[in-house]
Amino acid sequence: MNAFRGLRAMIYKEVLHAVRDRMALVFSFIVPLFQMIILGFAIDTNVRQVHTVVYDQSGRSQSAGAQDAGTSESRAFLDRFRNSDTFHIRKFVHSDEELNEELIAGRARVGIKIPVDFARDLVNGDSAQVLVLVDGSDSAVAGQALTVSSQIALDESLSRLLPEHAPAPIESRPKILFNPASRSPNFFLPGMLAVLLLFVTTMLTALSVVREKERGTLEQLLVTPVKPLALMLGKIAPYFALGVSELCALLVFMRFVFQVPIHGDALLLTLLSTCYLFVNLTLGILISTKANSHPEAMQLSMMIMLPSLFLSGYIFPRENMPLIFFLLSYVVPATYMVDISRGVILRGAGVTELWIDALVLASMGVCILLFAAKRFQKMIV
Amino acid sequence: MTAIRAEKITRRFGEFTAVDGVSFQVEAGEIFGFLGPNGSGKTVTIKMLCGILPLSGGDAWVDGIDVRADPDSVRSRIGYMSQKFSLYDDLTVLENLRFYGKVYGLGGAKLERKIEEIIEQNNIRPYVNRQAGKLSGGWKQRLALGCALLHEPHILFLDEPTAGIDPVARRQLWDLLFELSGRGITFFVTTHYMDEVERCSHLAYLYYGKLIADGTPAALRHLPDMTPPGTHRVEITTEDVTSALRTARTLPAVRSATIFGRSIHALIEDSVSGNELGEILRRKGYDVEDIRSLAPSLEDVFVELTDRRQKELETPA
Ligand SMILES: Nc1ncnc2c1ncn2[C@@H]1O[C@H](COP(=O)(O)OP(=O)(O)OP(=O)(O)O)[C@@H](O)[C@H]1O
Ligand SMILES: [Mg+2]
């Protein structure tokens, strides 16, 4: 009891601050929602409708230079490209120079050149060559274009070799679990929750304490019998409330604006996430024991937020990280939150799978809080 | 009874020693004036006594409690008004009072009664619903003092409570201090105003971390050799003080001279009497109205002490 002396007074005051500064509160509530909208619509890691340009020489008589080139064979082959979701044929060109130019200018990412003797080779049973040029400047696009174009060539070859309606000797039937449509928002938004929640927790708490340092009110508080723990929890309380409402708002947005299904229990997700919010809030307090000014607090918050972005597995899969970063990712709270949120939302995981993440987060929070309280006592204002 | 006792308290910041082995004792009910030039370590001393800045050396007792051993108990018995206004600008006067009351564990009817009393005492009723940040300087100070008084502390530390407020507000604040002091509250006050210095019952003078004077105003005025042997002080009232001062300073018998309002305070050698000095100035064309002998003012005392201390520091040991 005594360690929390003054907590009620602190909460009384913090609530008044929040009411006075309603605009700032509303603003910080809205920003993450906007970020989710922007990122949610912008991120689409699936490669679709890659701009493609075709130079079809097939069947063209070398001397005539006829404009309407193409044979039924080449057109059938190109239809396979057209029917795949990956390619979008935007233009036919009539020379190698034009083909190159389209690629260099970036108007097309893929160039397909079908040589003059394509149809003849096919009919004669010789190997027909097709040149597929892929712009390598975006590795995801290049990879996808490569795979799909080889697949198309293989399919076309098989259908020519096998008798009509004969089944392929082996047919692989891949099934993508948990996110069958491979929708990017389904995968990215649950992870993004962890990052978006950082803003309204770590940074705002740090700033709120540092503001008191700058105004000299912290010095005044330290002369009163308020205990450091009470002071810190009082500072945390409003941002905890903000964090929980933010989380709920983000979940609603994710579910109804982006149509990401939540396979698990949303209430459980909220409950487990409170551990994550708690860690972030204590980190904010820890920052404020070091920072003496607004800019300093912002910089330190950024230093905490960046690793969360890159190490948590939200952007880069943790399994592919160099060992040192992989190990580091274990001390980044967002790692556990990404796990919890993807677990509940995508895989429908429950307490049995996720309690350990929550426990790790809660213990981190308590440790940081006690450490910050120690620093608080020694702080010179 | 002793309210505050400091024994060789020292505070270092790295290499720099802000307060260097300072000892003094303040009795209960005194108004203790703690003086010294900017940066001499007054605020640092107060912070150490309030338990928010650890001592690098020495010992201190506040209200009988060892500051090193139990800063928490010290905090609940003292009030502190920092040099800079440090209440919540966005909270109203009433909300600030409520908050500080709650912080000290007051609540319910008791808190409301106490707040009522503070409002009455500090005359802040017309402003109770105004945001603290929108008050003028004098009202801010009253509110700050009110907040510091809520929990009925035995000792109040006021760090430059009257800096930047008008003379009327200053006078009113001091009236309140006297009233409270009459009820047995001890005040530890820093100030740069000499008229306020004269109102204190006990003074100490800190010069760059070292305490160089300690006593009642009367005792300091009559410090031996404040007026060195073979010299005496006179006050000369004249129309044209500035140029008279310039002239007076050129005279060999005048050791030092400064202006106080419309008169010159001079420390002169006994070989010349006050009247003779007046004659000399008259002959030089000044309209001398009045000459009288003078006890050193407290300002004289501090200027003299500072001069001496500086000379000591300049001459290598
Ligand atoms: N936290 C700190 N870190 C380093 N130096 C400090 C710190 N606090 C004070 N000082 C230094 O200690 C010295 C004494 O400062 P202090 O604020 O006590 O002076 P002061 O007598 O109150 O002056 P003023 O009349 O201007 O208020 C100054 O040189 C100041 O720079
Ligand atoms: Mg000071």
Side-chain angles (χ1 to χ4, degrees), chain B residues 176-197:
Chain B
L176 187 58
L177 297 197
F178 282 126
E179 191 197 317
L180 294 166
S181 156
R183 294 194 213 159
I185 296 180
T186 311
F187 284 91
F188 186 115
V189 186
T190 72
T191 179
H192 291 293
Y193 293 111
M194 278 304 144
D195 59 323
E196 294 182 357
V197 173

Side-chain angles (χ1 to χ4, degrees), chain A residues 380-381, chain B residues 11-14 16-19 34-47 53 83 159-160 190-192 206 208-209:
Chain A
I380 292 165
V381 285
Chain B
R11 175 67 212 198
R12 280 182 286 272
F13 294 106
F16 173 71
T17 306
V19 175
F34 199 53
L35 317 169
N38 294 130
S40 56
K42 303 183 295 292
T43 301
V44 170
T45 305
I46 292 185
K47 284 186 179 175
L53 197 62
Q83 189 166 354
D159 200 354
E160 298 192 26
T190 72
T191 179
H192 291 293
L206 193 66
Y208 298 109

Side-chain angles (χ1 to χ4, degrees), chain A residues 186-220:
Chain A
N186 289 15
F187 186 69
F188 266 92
L189 295 191
M192 192 190 291
L193 287 180
V195 176
L196 294 181
L197 284 173
L198 267 176
F199 170 80
V200 291
T201 51
T202 304
M203 183 137 97
L204 291 188
T205 324
L207 289 180
S208 140
V209 180
V210 167
R211 192 177 310 126
E212 293 221 24
K213 269 194 189 178
E214 286 179 329
R215 292 198 188 155
T217 51
L218 191 62
E219 181 189 331
Q220 193 71 48

Side-chain angles (χ1 to χ4, degrees), chain A residues 5-6 9-10 12-13 16-17 20 212-217 219-227 379-381, chain B residues 11 47 50 52-53 72 75-76 78 80 82 84-88 90-92 95 98-100 102-104 131:
Chain A
R5 183 167 177 187
M10 283 302 296
Y12 166 77
K13 171 181 83 72
L16 286 175
H17 285 319
R20 285 299 124 76
E212 293 221 24
K213 269 194 189 178
E214 286 179 329
R215 292 198 188 155
T217 51
E219 181 189 331
Q220 193 71 48
L221 269 183
L222 293 184
V223 197
T224 69
V226 170
K227 294 283 181 184
M379 198 164 56
I380 292 165
V381 285
Chain B
R11 175 67 212 198
K47 284 186 179 175
C50 290
I52 44 176
L53 197 62
D72 279 354
R75 284 185 205 129
S76 52
I78 58 159
Y80 168 58
S82 71
K84 185 177 144 197
F85 177 71
S86 48
L87 297 177
Y88 296 97
D90 54 333
L91 266 53
T92 66
E95 287 162 348
R98 285 220 177 99
F99 169 64
Y100 279 102
K102 283 171 195 281
V103 159
Y104 283 102
Q131 289 192 3

Side-chain angles (χ1 to χ4, degrees), chain A residues 123-359:
Chain A
V123 173
N124 293 350
D126 294 338
S127 174
Q129 312 269 329
V130 176
L131 181 65
V132 180
L133 299 165
V134 179
D135 173 359
S137 49
D138 184 326
S139 63
V141 172
Q144 176 90 357
L146 219 61
T147 321
V148 177
S149 58
S150 317
Q151 182 73 43
I152 287 173
L154 195 66
D155 280 356
E156 180 73 19
S157 310
L158 276 173
S159 71
R160 283 179 183 277
L161 289 175
L162 292 168
E164 201 108 351
H165 302 304
I170 296 178
E171 194 177 354
S172 153
R173 291 230 166 159
K175 181 172 178 218
I176 300 179
L177 294 176
F178 310 128
N179 184 12
S182 259
R183 289 184 66 226
S184 291
N186 289 15
F187 186 69
F188 266 92
L189 295 191
M192 192 190 291
L193 287 180
V195 176
L196 294 181
L197 284 173
L198 267 176
F199 170 80
V200 291
T201 51
T202 304
M203 183 137 97
L204 291 188
T205 324
L207 289 180
S208 140
V209 180
V210 167
R211 192 177 310 126
E212 293 221 24
K213 269 194 189 178
E214 286 179 329
R215 292 198 188 155
T217 51
L218 191 62
E219 181 189 331
Q220 193 71 48
L221 269 183
L222 293 184
V223 197
T224 69
V226 170
K227 294 283 181 184
L229 221 50
L231 201 158
M232 291 170 7
L233 288 177
K235 280 278 157 199
I236 283 178
Y239 298 104
F240 185 74
L242 181 67
V244 173
S245 1
E246 188 76 65
L247 174 71
C248 294
L250 288 172
L251 283 178
V252 168
F253 251 63
M254 189 186 77
R255 175 67 190 81
F256 297 103
V257 177
F258 292 100
Q259 303 284 328
V260 176
I262 299 176
H263 293 297
D265 185 352
L267 190 67
L268 175 75
L269 175 59
T270 314
L271 228 59
L272 295 179
S273 308
T274 55
C275 297
Y276 175 64
L277 292 174
F278 179 59
V279 182
N280 287 336
L281 294 165
T282 56
L283 276 174
I285 296 278
L286 188 63
I287 288 172
S288 73
T289 63
K290 175 99 183 81
N292 287 317
S293 68
H294 237 69
E296 228 180 305
M298 302 262 254
Q299 280 167 10
L300 285 172
S301 305
M302 283 300 164
M303 270 177 55
I304 301 249
M305 282 151 84
L306 283 183
S308 301
L309 205 56
F310 296 118
L311 296 181
S312 63
Y314 159 58
I315 296 184
F316 310 117
R318 289 171 61 228
E319 293 72 18
N320 300 351
M321 288 175 189
L323 185 64
I324 173 82
F325 290 125
F326 179 71
L327 293 177
L328 266 177
S329 73
Y330 277 108
V331 297
V332 174
T335 302
Y336 301 94
M337 176 64 191
V338 168
D339 199 42
I340 289 175
S341 133
R342 282 187 183 155
V344 175
I345 298 173
L346 292 173
R347 302 196 302 273
V351 187
T352 34
E353 291 88 9
L354 299 173
W355 67 271
I356 199 145
D357 291 286
L359 184 69

Side-chain angles (χ1 to χ4, degrees), chain B:
Chain B
M1 218 188 82
T2 306
I4 303 169
R5 203 168 115 221
E7 287 278 356
K8 298 208 171 69
I9 55 171
T10 300
R11 175 67 212 198
R12 280 182 286 272
F13 294 106
E15 292 285 284
F16 173 71
T17 306
V19 175
D20 191 359
V22 168
S23 304
F24 56 83
Q25 189 162 324
V26 181
E27 299 304 320
E30 279 187 328
I31 297 184
F32 180 67
F34 199 53
L35 317 169
N38 294 130
S40 56
K42 303 183 295 292
T43 301
V44 170
T45 305
I46 292 185
K47 284 186 179 175
M48 286 195 286
L49 294 173
C50 290
I52 44 176
L53 197 62
L55 283 76
S56 313
D59 285 294
W61 291 265
V62 172
D63 208 23
I65 296 163
D66 187 341
V67 175
R68 275 174 181 278
D70 192 1
D72 279 354
S73 301
V74 169
R75 284 185 205 129
S76 52
R77 286 156 193 252
I78 58 159
Y80 168 58
M81 211 171 122
S82 71
Q83 189 166 354
K84 185 177 144 197
F85 177 71
S86 48
L87 297 177
Y88 296 97
D89 281 350
D90 54 333
L91 266 53
T92 66
V93 168
L94 201 58
E95 287 162 348
N96 268 297
L97 287 168
R98 285 220 177 99
F99 169 64
Y100 279 102
K102 283 171 195 281
V103 159
Y104 283 102
L106 299 175
K110 182 146 186 262
L111 175 60
E112 293 308 314
R113 210 167 43 239
K114 193 68 210 172
I115 288 178
E116 199 52 33
E117 188 188 317
I118 296 284
I119 288 173
E120 208 52 53
Q121 193 175 54
N122 290 274
N123 277 318
I124 42 183
R125 186 164 316 280
Y127 303 103
V128 285
N129 289 318
R130 190 174 292 193
Q131 289 192 3
K134 293 188 177 136
L135 296 173
S136 67
W139 294 106
K140 276 185 179 164
Q141 289 309 77
R142 277 169 194 235
L143 172 59
L145 184 63
C147 286
L149 282 168
L150 269 169
H151 59 297
E152 302 179 351
H154 304 171
I155 302 168
L156 265 175
F157 292 88
L158 309 180
D159 200 354
E160 298 192 26
T162 54
I165 67 175
D166 69 55
V168 178
R170 261 173 64 194
R171 165 76 53 91
Q172 286 170 342
L173 198 86
W174 272 92
D175 287 346
L176 187 58
L177 297 197
F178 282 126
E179 191 197 317
L180 294 166
S181 156
R183 294 194 213 159
I185 296 180
T186 311
F187 284 91
F188 186 115
V189 186
T190 72
T191 179
H192 291 293
Y193 293 111
M194 278 304 144
D195 59 323
E196 294 182 357
V197 173
E198 306 270 359
R199 290 165 185 249
C200 297
S201 57
H202 180 176
L203 297 172
Y205 191 73
L206 193 66
Y207 188 75
Y208 298 109
K210 294 259 195 207
L211 201 69
I212 58 172
D214 180 7
T216 63
L220 291 185
R221 253 194 215 105
H222 296 108
L223 272 181
D225 59 88
M226 245 330 84
T227 313
T231 62
H232 62 284
R233 291 176 189 275
V234 292
E235 177 181 28
I236 303 157
T237 311
T238 172
E239 272 300 320
D240 193 4
V241 267
T242 18
S243 92
L245 177 74
R246 239 176 284 131
T247 312
R249 278 181 174 165
T250 61
L251 303 174
V254 175
R255 288 268 185 98
S256 69
T258 39
I259 295 179
F260 271 80
R262 286 190 54 244
S263 51
I264 297 168
H265 288 190
L267 180 68
I268 59 176
E269 283 171 13
D270 284 346
S271 57
V272 183
S273 76
N275 283 330
E276 283 165 346
L277 181 63
E279 259 323 296
I280 297 170
L281 286 175
R282 277 203 189 94
R283 258 186 273 126
K284 296 207 180 239
Y286 294 102
D287 180 21
V288 177
E289 290 165 21
D290 190 24
I291 300 167
R292 55 179 71 193
S293 72
L294 190 71
S297 71
L298 284 170
E299 181 161 330
D300 291 328
V301 173
F302 295 132
V303 169
E304 183 64 31
L305 285 171
T306 307
D307 279 352
R308 254 189 245 166
R309 179 80 199 158
Q310 242 161 358
K311 279 186 195 116
E312 273 173 39
L313 289 177
E314 278 159 17
T315 48

